[in-house]
Amino acid sequence: MGVLRVVVTGASSGIGAATVRAFRAAGWDVVGVARREDRLRELAEETGASVFTADLTRQEDVDALRDHLEATGPVHALVNNAGGAKGLDSVEHGSIEDWIWMLDVNVIALKRVTSALLPVLRRGAVERGVADIVNVTSVAGHEPYVGGAGYNAAKFAAHALTAVLRLELNGEPLRVVEVAPGMVRTDEFALVRFGGDRERADKVYDDVPEPLVADDVAAVIADAVLKPRHVDLDLIVVRPVAQAAATRLARGPLEVRKDPE
């Protein structure tokens, strides 16, 4: 068997870029996929990864990605990482345009890519003995919270899609893994959510002792794929120690209680 190959979506920044680095460090060939060609070029120069520019909300771009991969060999793993949030509005007052965007990038794009690449992944499974689909969701897909609304709806849908896909693929050597991060401090997630308001985005992380960073999540993703082929980590929830739940976040130093109750 030759070098193993993984496709990583949302590769131009944050968890996606960190995942590209993690797999390259493990000796894998990587195809990083994102919309921003300039960011992808920088990542390719840094890591030696291959890159493919695509907007995953456009079927023609996903079809072109599939054709490129089919022409260049099998794929042994797919990391569906592309996604994002917009706003903290309620169900009543949330922007329909924001909801459509969140459902498109977090759910419909996930379905498009998975459907298109399953035949290529099956070829990889024959060669390697197993192939992996890793869907990066969020604790927002498991715990509703005030201010979640559209993002909760999208990530709950992505969680359900992942669970159904695992049932559909039962009997094939295809592992379906869900990685659901909690608070992760990246350059862009909160910035996109708050429409480019840097001050508001930075306040999300104020006084939080050691929120996760992209490398932490990337290490979890790579570890799941590198497990022995009979081991399937169905669902991995990863949070900083300071975050007990989506709505339970410690701020300030973590200290042992003198008189724990």
Side-chain angles (χ1 to χ4, degrees), residues 15-246:
I15 293 170
T19 301
V20 170
R21 296 184 185 101
F23 276 102
R24 288 296 296 148
W28 283 53
D29 282 347
V30 182
V31 181
V33 181
R35 290 179 295 105
R36 292 177 291 186
E37 186 176 0
D38 56 337
R39 291 284 192 94
L40 288 177
R41 275 201 308 269
E42 291 172 6
L43 187 65
E45 291 171 4
E46 174 197 341
T47 65
S50 300
V51 294
F52 191 91
T53 305
D55 179 345
L56 302 181
T57 67
R58 294 166 49 89
Q59 188 62 46
E60 54 267 40
D61 284 16
V62 175
D63 291 344
L65 172 63
R66 177 203 61 211
D67 294 346
H68 169 74
L69 295 170
E70 286 180 341
T72 52
V75 173
H76 306 94
L78 165 64
V79 179
N80 282 311
N81 166 72
K86 284 192 177 182
L88 286 172
D89 296 326
S90 66
V91 172
E92 180 179 6
H93 298 295
S95 159
I96 290 295
E97 290 74 20
D98 286 352
W99 277 61
I100 290 171
W101 182 86
M102 285 186 279
L103 288 166
D104 210 2
V105 300
N106 291 291
V107 185
I108 304 302
L110 172 59
K111 183 265 188 284
R112 289 184 196 274
V113 175
T114 302
S115 294
L117 299 195
L118 264 169
V120 194
L121 285 161
R122 287 187 172 103
R123 287 171 53 196
V126 170
E127 182 178 270
R128 181 187 170 212
V130 69
D132 293 277
I133 300 169
V134 181
N135 292 341
V136 181
T137 61
S138 169
V139 296
H142 299 262
E143 304 169 33
Y145 58 89
V146 174
Y151 190 55
N152 281 144
K155 288 303 188 183
F156 265 81
H159 165 63
L161 182 158
T162 303
V164 172
L165 181 66
R166 189 179 297 115
L167 296 174
E168 293 172 349
L169 298 180
N170 182 243
E172 297 189 65
L174 297 168
R175 300 186 293 196
V176 179
V177 179
E178 179 182 354
V179 176
M183 176 176 277
V184 185
R185 182 162 199 162
T186 63
D187 292 337
E188 296 189 348
F189 179 83
L191 194 63
V192 171
R193 186 167 208 169
F194 296 122
D197 186 334
R198 171 59 71 182
E199 183 178 357
R200 192 177 178 195
D202 287 344
K203 282 184 178 179
V204 171
Y205 309 102
D206 277 355
D207 295 326
V208 177
E210 296 186 279
L212 298 179
V213 295
D215 287 344
D216 297 322
V217 182
V220 170
I221 293 168
D223 178 67
V225 173
L226 295 173
K227 287 282 187 251
R229 67 185 186 183
H230 67 288
V231 178
D232 187 355
L233 302 181
D234 282 5
L235 169 63
I236 309 163
V237 177
V238 52
R239 315 177 196 262
V241 175
Q243 186 181 38

